[in-house]
Amino acid sequence: MKDYGTAVATSETVEVTTSGDVVNARQVVRTLAQRGGLPLVHQTKLVTAASELGRNMLIYGGGGVVRAALVADSGRSGVYVEFRDQGPGIPDMETAMQDGWTSGSGLGLGLSGAKRLVDEFDIATGEGGTTVRIVKWGR
């Protein structure tokens, strides 16, 4: 995934330690998607993915930080969202990325479902935590 750190137009950060924080992060993502002019269906997909990833971060990573930003690239605009925790990491990434696999405690999408809802998806995991970066582009 491209490094969008230098392409950020508007950025917001939410620390996630409770379920309420996941809701707040989801609202930040929705607001940025609206500001960025994403069509309603794209907003819904992005917010759904953000909900699943935020919950995963809270449940399995013990919480963390969500950073969301409006980004632009090659004449298009979108929303970039990063989920970063300092948990134990994902022990079996291959299984976790399989279609239909879920731990049973999230929305039932799993990582592969969240990946299908966005245009760009990147995940890095290890003993120091997990970072998931997603982007949803407008039309």
Side-chain angles (χ1 to χ4, degrees):
M1 173 181 280
K2 178 180 176 177
D3 177 13
Y4 292 100
T6 59
V8 172
T10 300
S11 175
E12 300 209 27
T13 301
V14 178
E15 291 209 26
V16 175
T17 58
T18 68
S19 293
D21 296 334
V22 174
V23 173
N24 291 342
R26 195 174 76 197
Q27 185 57 42
V28 164
V29 169
R30 180 182 306 283
T31 299
L32 286 174
Q34 290 169 340
R35 266 195 236 154
L38 271 67
L40 183 57
V41 70
H42 286 21
Q43 292 176 34
T44 302
K45 288 178 178 182
L46 177 63
V47 170
T48 301
S51 234
E52 178 75 6
L53 296 170
R55 278 200 137 352
N56 284 353
M57 183 179 70
L58 179 61
I59 293 166
Y60 303 110
V65 176
V66 175
R67 184 175 146 246
L70 290 174
V71 293
D73 185 46
S74 302
R76 61 187 177 165
S77 61
V79 178
Y80 164 94
V81 189
E82 177 181 280
F83 304 83
R84 183 181 301 261
D85 69 50
Q86 295 182 352
I90 301 169
D92 186 352
M93 183 65 101
E94 187 175 327
T95 299
M97 290 303 297
Q98 286 180 0
D99 280 347
W101 188 87
T102 179
S103 65
S105 61
L107 297 173
L109 294 174
L111 291 172
S112 66
K115 181 178 180 179
R116 278 193 305 278
L117 292 171
V118 298
D119 300 313
E120 296 182 34
F121 182 97
D122 180 68
I123 187 166
T125 190
E127 289 182 23
T130 300
T131 301
V132 179
R133 295 178 183 96
I134 59 174
V135 178
K136 186 69 178 170
W137 295 107
R139 298 175 218 218

